[in-house]
Every structure is written in structure tokens, then in C-alpha cells.
Amino acid sequence: MPPSRGSVMRIGKGGGPAPSGLRCDAGTAGRIAGRGQGERVAMAGRDAGQGCGRRHMMLGAGAFWTAAAAGAPAWGDAPAPVLRPDPERPDREMMVPVPGGRVYVRVNGRLADGVSPGAPLPVVFVHGGPGGNHAAFLNALPLADDRPVILYDQLDSGLSDHPGDPRNWTVPRFVAELEAIRTALGIPRWHVCGHSWGGTVALEYAGRRPPALAGLVLGAPLVSTRIWLRDAAALRDALPADPRATLAACEGRMPPAAATCDRATDVFYAHYLRRRPPSALAERYRQAHGGLKSDLRLYETMWGRSEFSATGTLRTYDGTPLLARLDGRRVLFMVGQYDEVRVTTAERFVAAVPGAGLTVIADAGHATFSDAPAASLGALRDWLAGQDTMPA
């Protein structure tokens, strides 16, 4: 049962209470607890899953890399998750025209069921990046047991068209893709779940207050570049001395060799991006679709080359005013215990959206669906079911 509105709920391993003093990372305080009236906070239990480190789409988790960086947390012998339905077999797939080209869309579950009165509503997942791809949400496909699940690749990403035109790389144009997809699929109302940069797209979409939006999940979202960089700096400062000093040098006038900076960045990613190695099933899916490589030119144009500084078109982005436009009854924030979006930061976002909820996924980094698929699915499944019954 999802937490009631206005309550604070903590769920630790096995469903029991989480330790009251649990911190979000080694260097930052922040108890996992409510901060404001109407706020809902849940701590979702531990689970094993897929994940990886190495150079990633910083705002994403949209592609798969592997690394075992020095100073990284121990992974142990965690079993890979069993994904169902078969991620290689969508029930429907299509190329949908959007401004600037066509985007790849896949659906698991019967959309006809999702538009029937009283039926669970469809949910669409918006991947990170910019330049990631839909493979980030393969572990969300079991939700198709309950409702239609829609995954897609943004333009110039994954299996979508790649016109490579920087004029397409604007926030409003990426937001417009959502309505194009909804219209093409004939969906009157749906839930939108955006992660990281995908959370930016979802936030901008919700800020327009579209009548079709039933529920909004913001997974470790990029709400403000200034806030994101502040969190990145704090997390870097919490690393062991050697990688911390190297990363600082990499931002200086005379940086070390690129390989040295990459190794130090690997340590950061292994702590805060993905804390579990990738599953063989996810890797097989990626290889079966041409590698699903990320678009670094798109990423670097919009963000930049460094984890700790933004030089692209998103360098001044600030979506915090949009938080006041959200209907908190329909909003859930979700972050990992060791996320790049710190728990204390997520709590401040929730405080700006009265009535919104916050779920913290135990033992997970930024890639919550990879690090803890069962916990992430359980939290999302319960919350979406509650949203289905809310009047439009």
C-alpha cells in the first residue's frame, strides 16, 4: 500500500523501517525524512540489479558502460534481474513524426486496455542524456503486467532519426515529442516518468499543465544546472583524497592526461551513478540493436565535456519556477540513496511542491532502475495505481 498523503514512511530492507540516521552519502548529511506539511517520503528496500560505471551521459543513464574503478563500492555476487516481458519483443513499435524528424517508440501491453474506463493508465518513460536511449528503462517493462508501458528514443538518440542538426537541440522541441507520441498512439491520459535530463523534459511538459497528464514521476531530475553542479561538487568533495584531488586538477588550467581524469571520474561514477554491474540481458539487448550508443555531440553541445562544469546550452537552465505550477497530489520524486541528485536536494524540491511525494531507493546510485529494479518497480507500481483512481 502506498503511503497516505501527508505522511512520512520509511521502508528498509525486507520492508522494515530504515535506520533513522541513514545518510545519503559519506560526505553530506540529510536524514531521509519529511520536511514539510503534506510531504510523503518513502525509503524503498534493497535489491540487486544491473548497472555500470565509466563515462556516462551525465544527466542520463541512457547507455551502458562498464568499469571497476579504484575506490568503488563492493558489488558482491548480486543476481541479475529477470526482465519480463521479453525486452527484445515489444507488442508494438513504430516511428512517430516529431518536429525535426521521427522518433522510435515501443509499447508493451495493450493500449486498448489503457484507454478503457477504469483501466490502469499508460505510462511513458523519458530517458536521460541528452543523447541517452530507451534501454535505461528496460527494467521498467514488468509494469506492463499492469498497464501499457511506452519507451522511446528522443530525436538524435538510440533508434530514432539522427538528423544531427543542433537547431533541434532545444528544450521546447524535446518537450513537443511527448505530445506527438501521445497523439500518434491515441492516448487520452497517461502518466509521465522522466529521469535525469528526462526529468527536465517531464517537468517542462507538466509545467504546461496538459489535461492528458494524470501523474508525474521525476526521477533524480535536472531541475537547475546551478543546483546540479552544486551537488556534483559536494559529492566530489566526499570522495577519497586521491580521486578528489585528481578531479579538481582536471578542472584546472593544466589538467592531467585524459586517461588520468577518466580513472578519477570512474571512481565518482562508481559511487554515485551506477553501483551494480550490467546484466547480460541488458547487454544482449543493446548489442542486438546496434549498440545503442549515446550521442556525445548532442550531449556536449547541450551540457559540455565535464561532470563538474556546464558549458553547453543548458548551462543557465533553471526550471525551479515550474515547481510551483505542479499539482503536488500527482507528483512523485524518486532518487537513489547515493544519487547524483542528493536526498537533501530532492527534499527541497518536494518542499516546493506541496503534497508531492519522495521515494528514496536504498543502496542505489543515480541509475535507480539499474541498481535496484525490484525496489524501484515496487515503489512506482504502488504509486501509479493510486494515481489511476484520482479524478481528472
Side-chain angles (χ1 to χ4, degrees), residues 117-273:
L121 297 175
V123 57
V124 61
F125 288 87
V126 190
H127 67 71
N133 58 71
H134 71 275
F137 290 115
L138 292 178
N139 281 338
L141 290 178
L143 288 172
D145 292 346
D146 302 332
R147 67 186 65 249
V149 173
I150 303 157
L151 308 183
Y152 77 101
D153 288 327
Q154 297 158 23
L155 193 68
D156 281 303
S157 299
L159 302 179
S160 293
D161 287 348
H162 287 253
D165 186 349
R167 290 175 296 180
N168 289 324
W169 301 343
T170 67
V171 173
R173 199 216 58 79
F174 282 111
V175 174
E177 292 178 352
L178 281 170
E179 273 300 287
I181 293 169
R182 187 187 66 81
T183 301
L185 295 176
I187 298 172
R189 296 186 75 232
W190 63 357
H191 303 295
V192 176
C193 178
H195 182 263
S196 202
W197 149 253
T200 308
V201 176
L203 173 63
E204 291 277 344
Y205 177 77
R208 302 178 181 184
R209 297 181 177 176
L213 181 62
L216 174 69
V217 180
L218 296 174
L222 168 68
V223 173
S224 158
T225 297
R226 176 183 58 82
I227 294 173
W228 186 283
L229 293 177
R230 183 184 66 196
D231 277 358
L235 295 174
R236 177 187 60 193
D237 290 345
L239 290 174
D242 286 349
R244 181 175 70 242
T246 299
L247 289 173
C250 291
E251 296 296 311
R253 292 185 176 182
M254 299 181 64
T260 300
C261 293
D262 284 346
R263 286 193 295 271
T265 303
D266 284 346
V267 177
F268 182 93
Y269 292 159
H271 278 78
Y272 305 120
L273 173 63

Side-chain angles (χ1 to χ4, degrees), residues 298-372:
L298 166 57
Y299 170 74
E300 291 177 353
T301 298
M302 294 193 71
W303 180 261
R305 292 178 174 271
S306 169
E307 178 78 14
F308 308 102
S309 63
T311 58
T313 57
L314 290 172
R315 63 187 179 277
T316 60
Y317 178 76
D318 183 10
T320 53
L322 294 173
L323 296 175
R325 295 183 55 81
L326 303 181
D327 181 352
R329 301 170 304 157
R330 302 182 183 277
V331 179
L332 176 68
F333 289 86
M334 182 182 295
V335 297
Q337 180 183 352
Y338 304 100
D339 209 308
E340 292 182 79
V341 176
R342 296 182 296 166
V343 173
T344 50
T345 296
E347 288 175 338
R348 286 191 287 271
F349 293 156
V350 170
V353 187
L358 170 61
T359 293
V360 178
I361 305 299
D363 287 349
H366 189 55
T368 50
F369 271 96
S370 294
D371 281 352

Side-chain angles (χ1 to χ4, degrees), residues 102-116:
R102 302 173 306 159
V103 298
Y104 169 79
V105 179
R106 55 167 290 166
V107 181
N108 285 85
R110 287 172 44 86
L111 279 176
D113 294 340
V115 299
S116 301

